[in-house]
Amino acid sequence: MSDSKLNKEVPVAQRPVQAGEKLRGAEKMARIPIKIVPTEPSQYLRKPKWIRAEFKGTREVQRLKAVLRENKLHTVCEEANCPNLGECFKSGTATFMIMGDICTRRCPFCDVGHGRPNPLDPDEPKNMASTIKAMGLKYVVITSVDRDDLRDGGAAHFAACIQEARRLSPNITIEILTPDFRGRVDTALEILAQAPPDVFNHNLETIPRLYRQARPGADYDTSLDLLQQFKLRHPRVPTKSGLMLGLGETIEEVEAVMQDMRKHNIEMLTLGQYLQPSAHHLPVQRYVTPQEFDMLRMSGEKMGFTHVASGPMVRSSYHADLQAKSALEGE
């Protein structure tokens, strides 16, 4: 029996995933430990008037996509279906997603495909650096899929990308948004010490109570420890984290996580509304109001965060250059 016929007959949740195969939507969700019932159209919460995003099909968006494809690069803007893609691409900014577009994790809030990733592309650091230089960028964010298949979680590849970007663009400011390196904190941080970024970002994503549901394979305390340990090693580099709201958390639980962040010396915070990518992802439990986002911003400022970006359309990398400016100038 051929592999293609076998793949059609065996349920996707049971059959082995082929190297380089990317699962999305229902196929990805079928492999998640928790059961997610697809959302019927009648069950969708109606988006409020404050949830609006710019059209993504402009000429500049298409031009930048062509540049990225030519250099075999991916952006989290595209892979995660970010609502701000049109605005950010139009202004000539993007968040580069390294190590491919296939994630080893199966988080049910995320639209990035899951599967068995291809081997790392050794030319990716140079290709990314060349693209950054050609675009004339002053501030870049480098993020990645989770690569639990790699012993260092991809830390060495992050370092190589930072080194190449700085070699071709010496005055560039670099923020990295990292995975948790599968808990191998010491190993990852020893490698990143060879080429530390200007801003270190790792998202907690949600409150501890919802981790099993939203972040299978991740650990709340490990994520906090990663951020704290980086700060201890690099006290002059701002640390940053973010939460998505609307999965069923309470405002009190969000504020408790914000307090945990401050106890672990996290300085910058992003808070945004979770938007369900498809019927097969976690449903939105509620839309947090702009007034609540403003209240959380003021609470964060009182707690001592150097910058709090809080609003329905805020994402971790949205206006990242502006978010970092006050922290970097305050050194």
Side-chain angles (χ1 to χ4, degrees), residues 245-265:
L245 308 185
L247 287 172
E249 72 290 326
T250 67
I251 295 297
E252 291 74 21
E253 287 176 312
V254 173
E255 291 181 325
V257 172
M258 291 164 61
Q259 292 284 7
D260 282 347
M261 290 181 181
R262 291 300 300 132
K263 291 175 183 176
H264 288 76
N265 298 320

Side-chain angles (χ1 to χ4, degrees), residues 18 34 53 65 69 85 91 146 156 206 212-213 225 242 247:
Q18 303 301 311
I34 63 171
K65 284 186 176 183
R69 295 299 84 77
L85 183 149
S91 65
D146 279 286
T206 189
R212 182 177 180 274
Q213 172 183 330
D225 184 57
L247 287 172

Side-chain angles (χ1 to χ4, degrees), residues 59-244:
R59 286 185 179 181
E60 184 62 8
V61 168
Q62 297 307 319
R63 184 188 73 80
L64 287 174
K65 284 186 176 183
V67 171
L68 291 163
R69 295 299 84 77
E70 182 180 350
N71 287 281
K72 301 179 181 179
L73 297 173
H74 302 278
T75 66
V76 74
C77 321
E78 299 168 274
E79 291 299 322
N81 198 24
C82 178
N84 300 312
L85 183 149
E87 178 183 353
C88 294
F89 270 28
K90 188 175 73 172
S91 65
T93 65
T95 298
F96 293 95
M97 189 171 75
I98 60 175
M99 297 191 276
D101 61 348
I102 300 176
C103 187
T104 55
R105 302 277 174 95
R106 300 163 290 185
C107 299
F109 68 84
C110 181
D111 204 30
V112 174
H114 160 73
R116 287 180 58 194
N118 292 307
L120 293 177
D121 178 1
D123 294 327
E124 185 173 51
K126 292 182 180 179
N127 289 339
M128 188 196 70
S130 297
T131 302
I132 290 171
K133 182 179 180 180
M135 293 173 68
L137 301 179
K138 305 297 183 185
Y139 191 105
V140 297
V141 180
I142 304 172
T143 189
S144 77
V145 292
D146 279 286
R147 290 297 302 259
D148 294 334
D149 59 312
L150 302 175
R151 189 169 185 81
D152 66 351
H157 204 71
F158 265 103
C161 286
I162 293 171
Q163 289 169 333
E164 282 297 320
R166 287 193 173 136
R167 185 177 66 84
L168 294 186
S169 304
N171 297 321
I172 200 165
T173 302
I174 299 175
E175 174 180 330
I176 60 173
L177 171 55
T178 76
D180 61 11
F181 301 111
R182 205 177 186 182
R184 300 185 180 109
V185 172
D186 289 338
T187 298
L189 294 185
E190 286 176 9
I191 293 171
L192 287 175
Q194 301 169 17
D198 297 293
V199 176
F200 182 80
N201 186 355
H202 172 68
N203 284 335
L204 296 183
E205 303 292 8
T206 189
I207 62 169
R209 177 172 59 84
L210 296 177
Y211 255 56
R212 182 177 180 274
Q213 172 183 330
R215 292 192 72 194
D219 180 78
Y220 180 74
D221 291 327
T222 296
S223 287
L224 282 173
D225 184 57
L226 171 64
L227 286 151
Q228 184 178 51
Q229 291 302 320
F230 181 90
K231 187 64 178 178
L232 289 172
R233 295 169 186 241
H234 307 279
R236 293 177 63 84
V237 178
T239 48
K240 176 179 175 182
S241 191
L243 300 173
M244 54 187 174

Side-chain angles (χ1 to χ4, degrees), residues 8-28:
K8 291 180 181 178
E9 294 181 355
V10 178
V12 71
Q14 300 175 13
R15 68 171 173 79
V17 180
Q18 303 301 311
E21 181 181 6
K22 180 165 64 174
L23 306 180
R24 304 189 79 158
E27 290 186 329
K28 174 182 173 180

